[in-house]
């Protein structure tokens, strides 16, 4: 038996005991992990800096986000609404007559998490996928990323030790390494779901593998995203230079290696934004996270720049140099390959002549994690905002999409190819991926989970006979 399959088997054995722990108990374990990472922050940042060449300030901020989201998921499961506990008492007068029905969400079992390259802490070994799965009682097996092996090993050691010291069942957190072990992990009979953050190509391969299993399992992928931005003529006239500075900061942030990088910006012909943008493009050739990312960036950018009608407005030259490309709407419509995501510090300005030309370009766009609209307060953008909501998981009015807050209301997902599901990988409802509903009909009280007892011993929000009921004293 491969290491990956053995890890899943081990996780499956302890899954019932882990699921039986209370939300407060699992929150305590997440807090222990966060405390352990915070206590070794200097060492973790040093190792990650050597492997990724990311600046210390960025890594410290990311590690702080990582430990904060561990604690926030603890708060989510302590509060208890995530269970969606629902009680419908028997009603013989209903049509049809209703038995006693009680429903809640329960953990699905062992989960595989494929770590991302571009966030060595927040989307890696102890990142949001791991935190949200552990929070609801699912054992986790992480397939580590080869871009930061030392950081992954160090983090995993701290996580495992914190769980052990906290008395967690042995086997609720494990790691595997290597491409073949990753495939073995997906194929393991007792695995219940896969969470992945990475390329569209890699994600599609894993999705197909999850579906091809004798017993298919869910695949939750955060994949490719162009994150289009629309600048109206009024907004450009009012603050084009400021918008150029904001765009430059966003598409070059982290050397363009964020999934929310604005990769396509629609601007009116003759825009002040376009005139001002070249002054904010940084010279030089940054080191990318991995050689494969660097090669993919250079080849993708150069392919786009070689399209007839596309000009290099700023930057370029070096293999990894930040670059602004520009084209008119007709060029994009004739060459849809301009809409292919290029991971790295490049953005494409597309000039539109009027509202009709803008709408024609918009209709070519696929789903994205985000869409951003820059307009003036007096403009009626209702129709455009509604259209964007149909194509993106997060619609921004002003600002820039890089930077994803971890909160109750956050949604980090979107229509294909941004993700392949309706779920989020960031924020409180990320836990929903690792839960499934179970209804209990005419069950004796002794067979019911505490969340469904009449006296609500957990003190959690519930819907009872159609009415949402808040506890007199909040849980925790």
């Amino acid at each position: 038996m491969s290491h990956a399959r053995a890890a899943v088997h081990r996780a499956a054995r302890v899954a019932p005991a882990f699921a039986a722990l209370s939300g407060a108990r699992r929150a305590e374990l997440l807090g222990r992990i966060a405390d352990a990472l915070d206590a070794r922050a200097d060492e973790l940042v040093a190792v990650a800096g050597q492997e990724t060449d990311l600046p210390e300030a960025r890594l410290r901020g990311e590690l702080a986000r990582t430990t904060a989201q561990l604690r926030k998921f603890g708060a989510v499961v302590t509060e208890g609404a995530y269970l969606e506990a629902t009680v419908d008492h028997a009603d013989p007068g209903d049509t049809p007559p209703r038995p006693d029905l009680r429903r809640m969400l329960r953990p699905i079992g062992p989960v595989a998490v494929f770590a991302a390259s571009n966030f060595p802490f927040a989307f890696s070994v102890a990142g949001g996928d791991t935190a949200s799965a552990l929070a609801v009682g699912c054992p986790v097996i992480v397939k580590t990323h080869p871009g930061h092996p030392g950081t992954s090993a160090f983090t995993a050691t701290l996580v495992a030790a914190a769980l052990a010291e906290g008395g967690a069942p042995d086997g609720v957190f494990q790691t595997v390494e290597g491409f073949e072990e990753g495939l073995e992990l997906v194929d393991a009979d007792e695995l219940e779901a896969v969470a992945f953050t990475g390329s569209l190509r890699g994600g599609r391969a894993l999705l197909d593998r999850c579906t091809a299993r004798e017993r298919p399992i869910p695949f939750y992928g955060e994949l490719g995203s162009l994150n289009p931005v629309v600048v109206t003529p009024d907004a450009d006239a009012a603050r084009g230079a400021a918008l150029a500075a904001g765009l430059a900061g966003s598409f070059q942030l982290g050397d363009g290696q964020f999934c929310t990088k604005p990769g396509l910006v629609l601007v009116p012909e003759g825009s002040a934004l376009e005139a001002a943008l070249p002054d904010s493009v940084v010279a030089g050739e940054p080191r990318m996270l991995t050689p494969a990312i660097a090669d993919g960036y250079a080849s993708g950018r150069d392919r786009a720049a070689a399209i007839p009608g596309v000009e290099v407005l700023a930057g370029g030259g070096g293999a990894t140099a930040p670059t602004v490309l520009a084209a008119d709407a007709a060029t994009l419509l004739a060459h849809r390959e301009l809409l292919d995501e290029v991971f790295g510090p490049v953005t494409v300005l597309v000039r539109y002549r009027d509202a009709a030309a803008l709408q024609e370009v918009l209709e070519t766009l696929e789903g994205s994690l985000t869409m951003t609209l820059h307009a003036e307060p007096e403009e009626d953008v209702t129709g455009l905002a509604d259209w964007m909501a149909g194509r993106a998981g997060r619609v921004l009015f002003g600002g820039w999409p890089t930077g994803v807050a971890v909160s109750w209301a956050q949604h980090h997902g979107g229509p294909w190819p941004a993700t392949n599901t309706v779920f989020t990988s960031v924020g409180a409802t990320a836990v929903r991926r690792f839960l499934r509903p179970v209804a209990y009909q005419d069950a004796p009280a002794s067979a019911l989970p505490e969340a469904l007892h009449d006296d609500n011993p957990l003190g959690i929000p519930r819907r009872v006979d159609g009415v949402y009921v808040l506890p007199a004293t909040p849980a925790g």
Side-chain angles (χ1 to χ4, degrees), residues 93-449:
D94 199 3
T95 306
R98 187 177 74 206
D100 186 277
L101 287 167
R102 302 172 187 233
R103 175 188 182 275
M104 64 178 289
L105 300 180
R106 303 200 62 162
I108 59 175
V111 170
V113 170
F114 281 69
S117 64
N118 57 335
F119 283 88
F121 296 125
F123 283 84
S124 191
V125 170
D129 288 342
T130 298
S132 54
L134 290 176
V136 298
C138 292
V140 172
I141 305 97
V142 179
K143 192 283 183 182
T144 61
H145 197 280
H148 43 264
T151 308
S152 297
F154 191 3
T155 304
T157 298
L158 295 176
V159 172
L163 289 169
E165 291 168 5
D170 187 24
V172 300
F173 170 83
Q174 301 167 81
T175 61
V176 300
E177 300 176 2
F179 180 80
E180 292 300 329
E181 287 291 329
L183 298 182
E184 291 283 339
L185 185 57
V186 176
D187 293 342
D189 291 340
E190 294 161 298
L191 194 73
E192 297 295 343
V194 172
F196 170 86
T197 301
S199 70
L200 177 59
R201 179 181 178 184
R204 182 55 192 255
L206 288 176
L207 169 61
D208 291 345
R209 200 168 186 104
C210 288
T211 304
R213 288 169 38 120
E214 183 175 352
R215 180 176 67 87
I217 58 174
F219 171 79
Y220 301 115
E222 194 237 286
L223 310 172
S225 188
L226 200 57
N227 305 302
V229 177
V230 173
V231 178
T232 68
D234 287 357
D236 182 77
R239 48 197 168 91
L243 290 173
L247 171 60
S250 185
F251 93 84
Q252 296 174 104
L253 186 66
D255 300 322
Q257 297 169 111
F258 289 165
C259 53
T260 51
K261 179 205 73 177
L264 182 74
V265 184
L266 305 176
V267 297
E269 291 180 349
S271 71
L273 184 155
E274 179 177 340
L277 186 56
D279 292 338
S280 298
V281 176
V282 177
E285 294 186 55
R287 175 188 164 188
M288 309 296 272
L289 290 166
T290 68
I293 290 175
D295 291 344
Y297 169 68
S299 61
R301 178 202 58 188
D302 292 348
R303 277 196 306 273
I307 294 172
V310 174
E311 61 182 283
V312 178
L313 185 67
T320 61
T323 307
V324 178
L325 305 178
D328 58 30
T331 297
L332 182 142
L333 294 172
H335 298 277
R336 303 293 177 87
E337 60 267 34
L338 263 178
L339 298 176
D340 293 341
E341 181 191 15
V342 178
F343 193 71
V346 62
T347 195
V348 180
L349 297 188
V350 174
R351 312 175 186 108
Y352 63 88
R353 183 179 60 258
D354 52 27
L358 171 61
Q359 190 60 40
E360 191 173 8
V361 171
L362 290 175
E363 292 296 339
T364 69
L365 303 182
E366 296 184 298
S368 271
L369 293 169
T370 73
M371 288 192 177
T372 301
L373 176 60
H374 286 281
E376 290 303 284
E378 65 274 9
E379 294 186 80
D380 182 3
V381 296
T382 304
L384 186 52
D386 286 345
W387 184 92
M388 287 181 164
R391 286 290 208 282
R394 178 163 55 109
V395 181
L396 291 82
F397 299 86
W400 300 96
T402 40
V404 183
V406 182
S407 72
W408 289 87
Q410 184 60 272
H411 183 78
H412 190 61
W416 182 270
T419 58
N420 69 308
T421 75
V422 298
F423 297 105
T424 180
S425 62
V426 179
T429 55
V431 301
R432 186 61 181 82
R433 298 171 295 172
F434 309 121
L435 297 160
R436 68 178 184 88
V438 176
Y440 299 81
Q441 183 169 326
D442 293 329
S446 59
L448 287 171

Side-chain angles (χ1 to χ4, degrees), residues 34-45:
D35 291 345
L37 298 179
D38 282 340
R40 305 292 291 274
D42 290 347
E43 297 159 88
L44 285 164
V45 167

Side-chain angles (χ1 to χ4, degrees), residues 24 74-81 408 456-462 468-476:
V76 168
V77 296
T78 301
E79 186 262 358
W408 289 87
N456 192 10
L458 299 181
I460 61 174
R462 306 192 306 178
Y468 198 67
V469 180
L470 296 175
T473 302

